Each structure stands twice: as C-alpha cells, then as structure tokens.
Amino acid sequence: PYTLTDFYFGYGGIVDVFRKDAQQWFRKVYREQIKNGVSGWWTDLGEPEKHPSDLYHNLKDFGFKRLFKADEIHNIFGHYWNKMLYEHYQQEHPDTSLNRSGYAGSPRYSIFPWTGDVSRSWNGLKAQLPILLGMSVSGIPYIHSDAGGFAMTDKKDPELYTRWLQLSAFSPVFRPHGTALEADLQPSGTLSVESEPVFWPDSTKAIVKNLIQLRYDLTPYNYTLA
C-alpha cells in the first residue's frame, strides 16, 4: 500500500515482516531461490534504509489493534526479518544469514552482521575497533567490517587498504567489500576503488597475499574455536 519514490534503485515498497500473511508471501519468494541453489542470505537494508515516518505497520498478529508508525518499530524491523528467516530455515533448510541490522537478542537467529557501509578513511578504520569489541561483548561475536572500507572516496590509499586487511584477517569473517561503480555512475568528485587485492599495485598485493595466506593457515584453529 506504500510506494517509495526516492529510493536509489528506483521505485520500491516494504514488506511488512510483522504480518504472518506477509511472511508467508516472503517465504515463497525465498523458497523459489532456494530451489535454484541459494543456501544463504544477505539481508541488506534491513533497517530498512528508507522508512518514512508516514508509513504504518500492522501488528495485529501480536494482539495490537492500532497501526504503528515506522518510527515506533524501526529498530526491530531487521530483527524480525532475521527471526522470520531463521524460523523458516529451521523448518526446511540449513541457515546462514549475513545481516546489516538487528536488535538485542538477534544473535539467537544465527546472524553474521557487519558494521555497515563504513567510510573508506582512517577515521572509518579507527571506528571499527570499538564497534567490533563492543558487539562481541554484547553477545554478537561473529561481527566484521567491509575490509578496506565501503563508501566512495576521492583517493586510493594503499596503506589504508593494507592496514584494514591486517585487522580483518583476525576478525571472525574476512570480507573485502566496497563500492566500485562505473565512471558514468560515479558522483562528482569521487573515485571508484576496487575491493579485490588483485587490482592493487604489486607492492600492496605482496603484503595482502601473505595476510590472506595467514588467514587460511589459521582456519583450523578458528574453526575449532568456533
């Protein structure tokens, strides 16, 4: 009943994950992809990113008779999306979910969150330590960041990339990831920076290759610890 008109992918809508009938519909969509071989999900934008204040949700299945504004349930939307997936997979499939959003108690739903679309900057890297540690002691140990940073920048910084991968080599999930848009899609003044080590200069590749090898050497230890 609500159409988003200013989403950067174009027009869109939001599935009301609090409604059982909406969940059943959503499960059919997942089931079709599972038949195609999909075994895990990336529940990106689970905040949701665009959640206008004049959008209402129906929590009738929780016993509420009034509608709830997006602002009232925004923080638990991603949590209930994770819950829906977890319960669906419990019944039918093995489950892995990489999520961007959650709430207190979300670890019970077998999620592997990351720290969001963080800035490709030294301040962005600096912020990862308290976030990773804080999330870990809050019961979400499988936390990680976009290694190398995500958001667009005006320069390509080999040392920043190297230092970030040094940190990420010891995080529970190792995942270089970031924006690398075509030139005609780039906002003015920004630079497309590749996430994959193979596209960096040989001097950077040589260091990063050793980090990746170390990561794989530690896999038996990490697997046993987990």
Side-chain angles (χ1 to χ4, degrees):
Y2 194 103
T3 302
L4 297 169
T5 59
D6 59 346
F7 197 46
Y8 56 85
F9 291 121
Y11 289 102
I14 295 177
V15 176
D16 194 345
V17 297
F18 301 101
R19 289 177 50 162
K20 289 181 179 178
D21 54 353
Q23 291 185 20
Q24 291 302 319
W25 177 87
F26 216 174
R27 285 181 174 187
K28 291 179 182 178
V29 177
Y30 282 114
R31 192 173 290 116
E32 287 302 311
Q33 296 305 321
I34 291 166
K35 290 178 183 177
N36 289 332
V38 174
S39 60
W41 295 95
W42 186 342
T43 55
D44 203 352
L45 307 177
E47 290 81 304
E49 185 168 296
K50 289 282 186 179
H51 208 185
S53 295
D54 60 341
L55 186 155
Y56 286 85
H57 289 268
N58 190 333
L59 276 67
K60 62 180 181 180
D61 294 321
F62 294 86
F64 294 100
K65 295 183 179 180
R66 71 174 180 90
L67 297 176
F68 283 74
K69 282 188 174 183
D71 295 344
E72 294 182 275
I73 53 84
H74 178 77
N75 289 340
I76 59 171
F77 187 98
H79 178 74
Y80 273 90
W81 189 2
N82 297 328
K83 181 177 186 290
M84 174 189 67
L85 263 177
Y86 178 80
E87 292 174 347
H88 177 41
Y89 269 75
Q90 254 193 335
Q91 296 169 11
E92 303 183 27
H93 312 279
D95 177 36
T96 299
S97 177
L98 174 68
N99 77 312
R100 193 171 89 173
S101 305
Y103 198 69
S106 284
R108 74 187 65 170
Y109 300 129
S110 186
I111 58 166
F112 297 79
W114 82 107
T115 59
D117 297 344
V118 64
S119 164
R120 259 194 185 110
S121 66
W122 288 98
N123 279 336
L125 173 59
K126 182 180 178 181
Q128 300 316 299
L129 283 170
I131 293 172
L132 295 172
L133 292 171
M135 293 286 281
S136 293
V137 299
S138 297
I140 308 180
Y142 285 95
I143 180 74
H144 63 290
S145 63
D146 286 337
F150 175 86
M152 289 170 281
T153 181
D154 59 356
K155 66 178 181 178
K156 193 171 182 176
D157 189 334
E159 185 179 359
L160 173 64
Y161 180 77
T162 301
R163 297 299 186 187
W164 208 312
L165 265 65
Q166 284 177 327
L167 169 66
S168 296
F170 297 98
S171 66
V173 180
F174 180 72
R175 193 178 61 97
H177 175 66
T179 54
L181 300 175
E182 297 297 329
D184 58 343
L185 296 176
Q186 285 287 358
S188 177
T190 61
L191 179 69
S192 185
V193 180
E194 301 85 356
S195 302
E196 300 87 350
V198 69
F199 295 117
W200 287 76
D202 289 343
S203 56
T204 301
K205 270 193 293 189
I207 301 172
V208 171
K209 181 180 178 181
N210 289 333
L211 290 172
I212 294 172
Q213 184 61 56
L214 174 61
R215 170 79 183 187
Y216 277 91
D217 289 343
L218 288 170
T219 297
Y221 169 79
N222 288 331
Y223 187 87
T224 304
L225 187 66

